[in-house]
Amino acid sequence: KRPENFFSIRQELGESTVSSLRVDSGYENFTDQVERSPELALRLLDSPLIAGFRADADVVLSDLELVPGESSATAAEEMRRLDLRSEFSRPFIASRWLNVIPTAGVRYTQWTSPNLAEEERSFLSAGLEAATRFSRVFQVRNRSLGIDGLRHVVDLRADYSGLMENTLDSAPAPFAFDEIDGLDNREVVTLSMGHRFQTRQSRSDRERIYRLGTRSIAEARIDALYYPDADRDNSGEAWGDLFSEVVVHGSGGWSIFGESRHDLGLGQNRGK
């Protein structure tokens, strides 16, 4: 077991700006643990700029401490990490059936420790997302199941994401705290297909006459990962995981879901 105790508080500063404070501390010393004491973050959440551009960014300052377990040979270590991330996007409608979102960003991370020399890393990111949607309405009604009309929505999406111009590989990173510290140059293409079935549902008795809401009955999606540089990013296999999920929503507020993951390149089931 790896017990985790944390305290966090989040404050909305504006419509798209939030700040947060988090403190992690362990009360048992039988395993190595990383404590945050504390971590301060300021986030700009997909905020609109001029001419249709949007920005998503955050600044995170962490005071980290590696606390060894009672029988561990790991040495205690302290580290201060500054992480700056910014991403800019420009969504636009390419045609009646196609929406496109190009993105570009930069990330900078700095590690400072009393035991090690200061290290820093920066890299660029680029992405392109293309999506289309189809839907059809069926006149299906079933009072016992709470179905008043049926709408079938199909979402098709392709997403390219790349990290490049990395100034420091993850191996020399002085303190591998989480998945951010383990990032390297990589490219991945995600192909997605989603299905959603909806029905009409009044939001309240007062709105019954004026406006009807929608309730999802069932959802399903499939994501497939493809690696253009398979030798570097996926052990030589061009295709990676195939992830699938099915969710059924009941009218009483409950849901049932199932998911599976299959490695297409290796032909192995990775769990259900």
Side-chain angles (χ1 to χ4, degrees):
K1 301 292 185 180
R2 184 181 295 274
E4 181 183 24
N5 305 280
F6 69 91
F7 168 82
S8 73
I9 185 170
R10 181 175 183 270
Q11 175 65 45
E12 295 186 6
L13 303 178
E15 184 176 345
S16 57
T17 308
V18 297
S19 64
S20 64
L21 167 68
R22 174 168 175 145
V23 178
D24 288 69
S25 179
Y27 65 90
E28 297 286 357
N29 62 351
F30 53 84
T31 60
D32 297 346
Q33 295 192 62
V34 176
E35 296 185 351
R36 304 185 223 192
S37 55
E39 179 179 272
L40 298 171
L42 178 65
R43 306 185 189 279
L44 184 67
L45 307 173
D46 192 25
S47 178
L49 300 176
I50 60 174
F53 284 89
R54 307 187 70 86
D56 192 272
D58 48 53
V59 180
V60 182
L61 179 61
S62 306
D63 194 357
L64 308 173
E65 183 177 359
L66 175 61
V67 181
E70 57 184 4
S71 58
S72 174
T74 304
E77 188 174 348
E78 296 182 9
M79 181 71 62
R80 177 165 293 176
R81 189 182 73 176
L82 173 66
D83 187 53
L84 307 174
R85 182 195 63 86
S86 61
E87 184 176 83
F88 300 93
S89 62
R90 176 57 170 91
F92 64 92
I93 300 175
S95 70
R96 177 184 176 185
W97 303 104
L98 185 64
N99 293 339
V100 178
I101 307 178
T103 60
V106 63
R107 189 164 207 144
Y108 172 81
T109 307
Q110 181 189 73
W111 299 270
T112 306
S113 170
N115 304 324
L116 300 171
E118 180 179 293
E119 291 279 8
E120 59 184 18
R121 178 182 64 182
S122 60
F123 56 77
L124 304 178
S125 64
L128 181 65
E129 179 181 305
T132 187
R133 172 175 293 178
F134 305 93
S135 66
R136 184 175 179 180
V137 176
F138 302 89
Q139 298 303 321
V140 179
R141 287 178 172 80
N142 188 307
R143 183 171 297 180
S144 60
L145 297 178
I147 298 177
D148 181 13
L150 192 63
R151 182 181 184 223
H152 179 205
V153 182
V154 180
D155 288 306
L156 301 176
R157 187 180 305 270
D159 176 82
Y160 165 83
S161 177
L163 301 177
M164 58 206 73
E165 301 298 330
N166 187 6
T167 60
L168 178 67
D169 292 336
S170 62
F175 197 60
F177 172 59
D178 58 14
E179 64 275 6
I180 296 174
D181 293 339
L183 290 176
D184 279 317
N185 290 352
R186 61 170 295 187
E187 293 177 280
V188 61
V189 176
T190 304
L191 304 177
S192 303
M193 179 175 63
H195 295 265
R196 186 167 65 254
F197 292 91
Q198 298 174 323
T199 188
R200 290 188 291 266
Q201 182 181 24
S202 60
R203 298 179 181 177
S204 67
D205 290 339
R206 176 182 291 273
E207 294 176 330
R208 185 180 300 275
I209 299 177
Y210 307 103
R211 184 173 57 178
L212 294 176
T214 60
R215 176 176 66 87
S216 292
I217 299 174
E219 300 174 77
R221 72 182 179 97
I222 298 176
D223 297 335
L225 301 184
Y226 175 79
Y227 297 90
D229 192 343
D231 292 334
R232 180 192 64 186
D233 298 330
N234 197 42
S235 303
E237 299 290 343
W239 288 98
D241 283 352
L242 176 69
F243 176 80
S244 59
E245 181 182 43
V246 176
V247 186
V248 178
H249 303 285
S251 58
W254 53 266
S255 300
I256 298 176
F257 76 93
E259 61 184 31
S260 69
R261 190 178 297 271
H262 187 82
D263 193 315
L264 291 174
L266 299 178
Q268 296 178 351
N269 180 26
R270 300 189 58 189
K272 296 183 180 180

